[in-house]
């Protein structure tokens, strides 16, 4: 049964088994709760393996985000072993074992679903439900990428590789198990996972795994909008959002997720490419690197801003007043986006507040700035304005005025808001994103916003 050479042909029948002495995974690097779950399942006579991202990341010397366990115990049997266990998911039934805030996800080995009584449903090639259980060999082959199908066996601490994942880890290659097109059709989210892992690990996507990415984007339309929201947060909130965005656009997938934004990005404005989204994502990446908090509502405010802004400007041109124009623009863009990527209300409401505050940030006179600074969403709206200014789309002097206003004491604030500041409408891009000088708008912004400070 045991293959000894890494190049030996592998199949479900002949896995490569690497004994403890020959691999780098040590129990010292595995979460104590995952070890508890593995050991307890073993004690109860079940097979228990660490699998997925935990094994992959440990082999690569990264710190795993979470630890997933695979077992031959059914979800009900897992629940009988652990008091702190809940079964979740109907489409894909799993056991969650809770230890305070840490959750160890325990999945029963899935089979091929070939048996008549197997609980597996496929619609137009897409797996919509999979609770058909099977052997570890079958389980390995239904996983997505070879590098995600490595098992660490708690019974003897060996590594088991059914799909060539160890070799792909060694060479830095991301490869789907089986026929790529069929695997993407079974679950189109795998296209997003391909991009996510390629960015996160810096792996090259193997050509046959890569090719369908250019062609199958429309399948994303069949995925539940709430699942896409969760998947996109994983892609954009892990420190490589800009790279992810660029790859999504490269493969033509971004347009299937954010068609309005994609259409805006295809156009230039006054001969300058639109850099706002890239800058926003680069900024989010930097915050994550610096261990600063990031918020999904800010991310979505960035991702959808271009179409909102354009519609807003159209409505202003038609004579709609600012607050009403922003409200209407936001509603129209959200109504088109929500069926594709469903942004939960707890994020869409603050996202819309950030947009609604943009015209209000133009009002630098009287008591309004002091009132605005106390708004719970002021800081996010200000950060947003700074990004807009960096992208050359809002006035840098306005952003600077708000920076100074926040730092100023009471007397200075009074001076800044007295008389000098005039109410300004949002203005068109005043210079290219990289050009540091030249105000082509014909308005001396220093005069308008300095207010004598
Ligand atoms: P990370 O947790 O670091 O994001 P991961 O690989 O652990 O990465 P999870 O979403 O936690 O990803 O999934 C755990 C494992 O379950 C994966 O490694 C893979 O083996 C399997 N898996 C997850 N999603 C799919 C899918 N859509 N198709 C096939 N297998 C999947
Ligand atoms: Mg995981």
């Amino acid at each position: 049964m045991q293959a000894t050479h890494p190049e030996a042909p592998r199949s479900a029948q002949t896995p490569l088994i690497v004994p403890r002495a020959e691999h780098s995974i040590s129990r010292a690097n595995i979460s104590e709760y995952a070890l508890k779950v593995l050991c307890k399942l073993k004690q109860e006579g079940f097979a228990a393996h660490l699998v997925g991202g935990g094994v992959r990341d440990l082999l690569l010397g990264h710190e795993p985000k979470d630890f997933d366990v695979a077992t031959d115990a059914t979800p009900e049997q897992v629940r009988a072993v652990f008091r702190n266990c809940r079964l979740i998911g109907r489409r894909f039934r799993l056991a969650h074992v809770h230890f305070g805030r840490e959750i160890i996800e325990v999945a029963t080995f899935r089979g091929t679903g070939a048996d008549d009584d197997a609980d597996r449903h496929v619609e137009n090639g897409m797996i919509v439900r999979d609770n058909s259980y099977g052997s570890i060999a079958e389980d390995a082959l239904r996983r997505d990428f070879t590098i995600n199908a490595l098992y660490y066996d708690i019974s003897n601490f060996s590594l088991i590789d059914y799909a060539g994942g160890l070799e792909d880890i060694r060479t830095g290659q991301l490869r789907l198990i089986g026929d790529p097109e069929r695997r993407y059709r079974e679950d189109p989210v795998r296209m997003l996972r391909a991009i996510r892992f390629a960015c996160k690990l810096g792996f090259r996507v193997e050509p046959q795994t890569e090719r369908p990415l250019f062609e199958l984007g429309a399948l994303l339309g069949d995925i539940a909008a709430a699942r896409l929201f969760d998947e996109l947060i994983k892609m954009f909130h892990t420190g490589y959002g800009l790279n992810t965005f660029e790859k999504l656009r490269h493969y033509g997938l971004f347009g299937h997720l954010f068609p309005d934004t994609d259409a805006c990005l295809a156009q230039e404005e006054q001969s300058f490419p639109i850099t706002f989204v890239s800058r926003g994502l680069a900024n989010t990446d930097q915050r994550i690197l610096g261990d600063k908090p990031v918020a999904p509502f800010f991310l979505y405010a960035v991702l959808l801003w271009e179409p909102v802004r354009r519609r807003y400007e159209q409505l202003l041109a038609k004579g709609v007043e600012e607050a009403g124009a922003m409200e209407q623009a936001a509603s129209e863009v959200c109504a088109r986006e929500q069926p594709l990527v469903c942004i939960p209300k707890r994020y869409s409401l603050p996202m819309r507040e950030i947009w609604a505050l943009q015209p209000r940030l133009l009002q630098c006179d009287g008591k309004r700035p002091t009132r605005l600074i106390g708004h719970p969403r002021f800081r996010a709206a200000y950060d947003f304005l700074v990004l807009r200014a960096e992208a050359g789309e809002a006035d840098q002097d306005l952003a600077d005025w708000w920076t100074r206003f926040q730092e100023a004491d009471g007397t200075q604030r009074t001076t800044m808001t007295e008389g000098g500041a005039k109410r300004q409408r949002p203005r068109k891009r005043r210079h290219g994103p990289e050009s540091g000088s030249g105000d082509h708008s014909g308005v001396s912004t220093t005069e308008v916003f300095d207010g004598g400070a």
Side-chain angles (χ1 to χ4, degrees), residues 51-54 56-57 65-68 105 193 196:
V51 68
R56 176 196 71 217
D57 290 349
K65 186 166 74 56
D66 51 33
F67 288 93
D68 302 301
E105 196 164 276
R193 289 174 61 88
R196 176 153 79 86

Side-chain angles (χ1 to χ4, degrees), residues 2-294:
Q2 185 166 325
T4 50
H5 191 272
E7 300 308 325
R10 283 172 293 274
S11 69
Q13 280 70 45
T14 57
L16 171 68
I17 298 179
V18 183
R20 170 64 193 102
E22 293 169 32
H23 67 73
S24 61
I25 294 189
S26 148
R27 268 163 292 163
N29 297 325
I30 301 174
S31 107
E32 61 166 301
Y33 300 129
L35 284 173
K36 266 190 187 159
V37 170
L38 289 165
C39 294
K40 185 89 173 112
L41 284 168
K42 184 182 125 189
Q43 258 174 34
E44 297 292 323
F46 296 111
H49 301 76
L50 203 63
V51 68
V55 179
R56 176 196 71 217
D57 290 349
L58 286 177
L59 286 170
L60 288 167
H62 300 183
E63 193 183 331
K65 186 166 74 56
D66 51 33
F67 288 93
D68 302 301
V69 168
T71 178
D72 60 359
T74 62
E76 289 71 21
Q77 286 172 322
V78 176
R79 185 168 54 187
V81 173
F82 299 99
R83 269 186 304 122
N84 47 337
C85 176
R86 285 178 52 193
L87 301 190
I88 63 144
R90 277 193 308 139
R91 208 179 60 83
F92 195 89
R93 203 156 172 72
L94 291 169
H96 272 183
V97 187
H98 290 252
F99 298 90
R101 292 180 63 186
E102 193 174 336
I103 295 175
I104 304 299
E105 196 164 276
V106 183
T108 306
F109 296 146
R110 257 53 182 185
T112 57
D115 302 350
D116 285 349
D117 58 350
D119 184 11
R120 184 183 225 228
H121 294 272
V122 181
E123 284 172 14
N124 298 325
M126 194 162 109
I127 300 175
V128 289
R129 180 182 172 99
D130 185 1
N131 292 312
S132 69
Y133 303 129
S135 66
I136 180 172
E138 290 170 321
D139 186 75
L141 300 186
R142 67 92 194 161
R143 289 181 181 271
D144 48 8
F145 301 96
T146 61
I147 59 168
N148 286 348
L150 296 165
Y151 297 79
Y152 171 82
D153 184 348
I154 198 67
S155 72
N156 58 10
F157 314 123
S158 64
L159 272 182
I160 311 176
D161 179 4
Y162 288 91
L166 283 171
E167 181 63 6
D168 286 338
I169 291 245
R170 201 177 61 75
T171 58
Q173 172 164 269
L174 192 67
R175 187 161 57 92
L176 268 175
I177 299 170
D179 173 59
E181 178 162 343
R182 184 176 61 79
R183 300 305 313 279
Y184 288 132
R185 287 189 183 279
E186 278 177 359
D187 182 2
V189 166
R190 289 174 186 151
M191 293 191 277
L192 302 182
R193 289 174 61 88
I195 290 176
R196 176 153 79 86
F197 294 126
C199 292
K200 168 173 165 164
L201 307 172
F203 274 29
R204 171 181 77 256
V205 186
E206 178 269 334
Q208 297 198 45
T209 297
E210 183 177 40
R211 203 164 305 125
L213 294 175
F214 290 106
E215 289 150 21
L216 301 181
L219 296 175
L220 291 172
D222 298 331
I223 301 295
R227 187 175 173 213
L228 282 183
F229 176 83
D230 292 343
E231 204 54 41
L232 287 166
I233 291 294
K234 284 190 217 161
M235 297 178 85
F236 284 119
H237 268 179
T238 331
Y240 39 85
L242 177 58
N243 195 357
T244 295
F245 167 68
E246 284 169 353
K247 283 206 162 57
L248 283 173
R249 292 197 76 207
H250 173 72
Y251 293 119
L253 298 179
F254 189 77
H256 292 285
L257 299 164
F258 300 99
D260 284 1
T261 310
D262 199 53
C264 292
L265 295 177
Q267 300 162 23
E268 293 192 333
E269 203 163 85
Q270 295 178 18
S271 313
F272 288 106
I274 292 163
T275 60
F276 177 74
V277 181
S278 308
R279 281 171 192 267
L281 294 170
N283 181 271
T284 302
D285 289 346
Q286 272 166 16
R287 289 185 66 90
I288 290 168
L289 275 178
D291 266 340
K292 292 190 189 149
V294 288

